[in-house]
Amino acid sequence: MLSHWGKHAILNARQCCPIAIGNPRIIEQFLTDIVKKIDMKAYGRPQIMHFGEGNRSGYTAVQLIETSNIILHLCDESGDGYFDIFSCKNFDEYVAKAVVQEWFKPRQIDMKVVLRDAKFPMQ
């Protein structure tokens, strides 16, 4: 049992594989894989949309899980990816990071984990 409401893993991935970030099928396969590997249960199919203008365009995807969500934003121009995994069920953030590395092959990944609870202030 968690001593807090949930865990939020925030990953910034620099210079991902251009083929991976530009392919909605790969993005969907990634979401299926990460849900399985961090022991979650998908709630429906992911929403994957390409939109934006100029250097802000790219894919955004949302996979609802029974205990919250997995969201990613991928930038066409820079190849950078922004991944958020939030769940009130505990998960291994290092496994999540490894799955991002496997599918998107970024040159660098930075990760921050925030424990979420409305009972204490964020720092």
Side-chain angles (χ1 to χ4, degrees), residues 49-118:
M49 302 294 295
H50 188 278
F51 58 92
E53 296 181 15
N55 67 355
R56 301 287 185 205
S57 67
Y59 279 98
T60 292
V62 177
Q63 174 63 67
L64 298 179
I65 54 177
E66 286 191 347
T67 54
S68 204
N69 62 64
I70 300 169
I71 300 173
L72 58 115
H73 307 281
L74 304 168
C75 180
D76 293 336
E77 186 174 295
S78 67
D80 295 341
Y82 305 93
F83 301 80
D84 292 274
I85 304 159
F86 178 70
S87 177
C88 58
K89 176 184 174 187
N90 198 24
F91 62 94
D92 188 333
E93 63 270 19
Y94 294 101
V95 170
K97 183 177 178 181
V99 177
V100 170
Q101 180 67 49
E102 176 185 346
W103 282 91
F104 293 97
K105 299 181 180 13
R107 291 191 184 203
Q108 181 178 345
I109 300 178
D110 296 318
M111 180 173 66
K112 179 174 184 158
V113 175
V114 178
L115 300 179
R116 304 292 298 271
D117 199 316

Side-chain angles (χ1 to χ4, degrees), residues 3-43:
S3 63
H4 46 274
W5 176 253
K7 183 189 289 187
H8 187 169
I10 304 161
L11 296 96
N12 294 337
R14 290 188 185 92
Q15 297 178 327
C16 297
C17 171
I19 293 169
I21 68 164
N23 187 323
R25 288 189 185 127
I26 291 174
I27 295 166
E28 185 170 9
Q29 291 169 343
F30 158 77
L31 288 165
T32 299
D33 193 37
I34 196 167
V35 166
K36 180 180 177 183
K37 288 184 176 166
I38 63 171
D39 193 31
M40 297 295 164
K41 187 172 180 183
Y43 188 81

